[in-house]
Amino acid sequence: GGTTPSTTPVLVTLINSTMTSNLTNAYANRKSTAMGPNVHFNITNSILWGGNPVHSDFEPLSTNSTNFTIAYCNLSEVNAGVGNLMADPLFVDAAAHDFHLQPFSPSIDSGSPQFPADADGSPIDQGCYTFFPGPSFFSQAQAPGGVFQVLMNAYSNRNYVIEFSTNATAWSPFLTRFQTNDPSLITDPSATNSPLRLYRARLAP
C-alpha cells in the first residue's frame, strides 16, 4: 500500500547547521512512502555550501508543494530570503572535515539578530561552530610628547575590557574598547609617571 499523503505540512527545521560537499544539501525526496508533497523547510543561521543548497522533487503546485523559508544563511547559490549571503565561508580545512570558521569569514556575526548573541556579546554566527577570536596582545609601546601609547592587537568588531597593573598581581579596570580595526591605539596619560605599567585585555559582552 504506501502511505496516504499528508494534508498538513511536514515541518523540517534547520538552525545553525553546516552542510557542504553534497550534491544537494537540503532535499525533499519523492519516495513511495513519502509524507509529501506538503513539506516546509525552515532554515536559519546555516551554511549550505557546495552543490545545490536546496531541492524538491515535488512540483510547486498551489495546494501541495514544498516551501523553503531560508533566512540569514550562507548559500552556494542565490536564494531569496532575508539576510542571506553567497560567499566562501572560509572553513579551516574542509578537506579534513574541519568546518570551523577562519578569522574574518563572512559567516561570522551574520546570523539572525533575533537570536541570542554569542558568549562574547557579538551577533550569532552562521553554521554549527561558534567562532572564538584568538588572544589579544599589546605591542609598540611609546611615549610621544610624554604621553604613553600602545597598540592593542585584537580581533575587530568585539568589545574588550582593558585592565592595568603595576605589579602583575592586582589588576584595575582602565577602559572598555570596541575594537573597530586591528590594531588600535590605546593612550594612557596617567601612565607617564608610573615606573611600571602592565596591560591586559579580555573579551566582554
Side-chain angles (χ1 to χ4, degrees), residues 32-193:
S32 61
T33 57
M35 292 298 291
N38 299 301
V39 184
H40 186 178
F41 282 81
N42 189 9
I43 308 174
T44 312
N45 299 345
S46 297
I47 300 173
L48 282 66
W49 193 256
N52 294 326
V54 297
H55 178 76
S56 173
D57 283 347
F58 300 106
E59 293 295 328
L61 304 178
S62 59
T63 57
N64 46 347
S65 63
T66 303
N67 295 314
F68 291 98
T69 300
I70 306 175
Y72 295 95
C73 291
N74 192 350
L75 309 167
S76 53
E77 294 182 357
V78 177
N79 197 288
V82 176
N84 292 329
L85 55 91
M86 189 176 70
D88 187 342
L90 299 179
F91 296 128
V92 169
D93 191 346
H97 303 119
D98 186 346
F99 301 113
H100 288 86
L101 302 174
Q102 295 184 49
F104 303 106
S105 160
S107 288
I108 295 172
D109 299 345
S110 295
S112 171
Q114 297 180 1
F115 279 67
D118 286 335
D120 61 8
S122 63
I124 192 170
D125 303 326
Q126 296 171 337
C128 63
Y129 294 111
T130 300
F131 173 78
F132 294 102
S136 57
F137 64 94
F138 297 94
S139 65
Q140 298 184 28
Q142 54 186 324
V147 178
F148 181 79
Q149 296 178 344
V150 65
L151 290 178
M152 185 172 81
N153 300 266
Y155 192 83
S156 57
N157 299 319
R158 293 294 186 275
N159 216 32
Y160 293 87
V161 171
I162 303 171
E163 300 170 316
F164 77 92
S165 176
T166 57
N167 57 15
T169 301
W171 294 86
S172 301
F174 171 51
L175 60 83
T176 299
R177 164 69 62 88
F178 184 78
Q179 186 86 339
T180 57
N181 58 288
D182 179 31
S184 66
L185 184 66
I186 304 295
T187 301
D188 186 2
S190 63
T192 303
N193 298 319

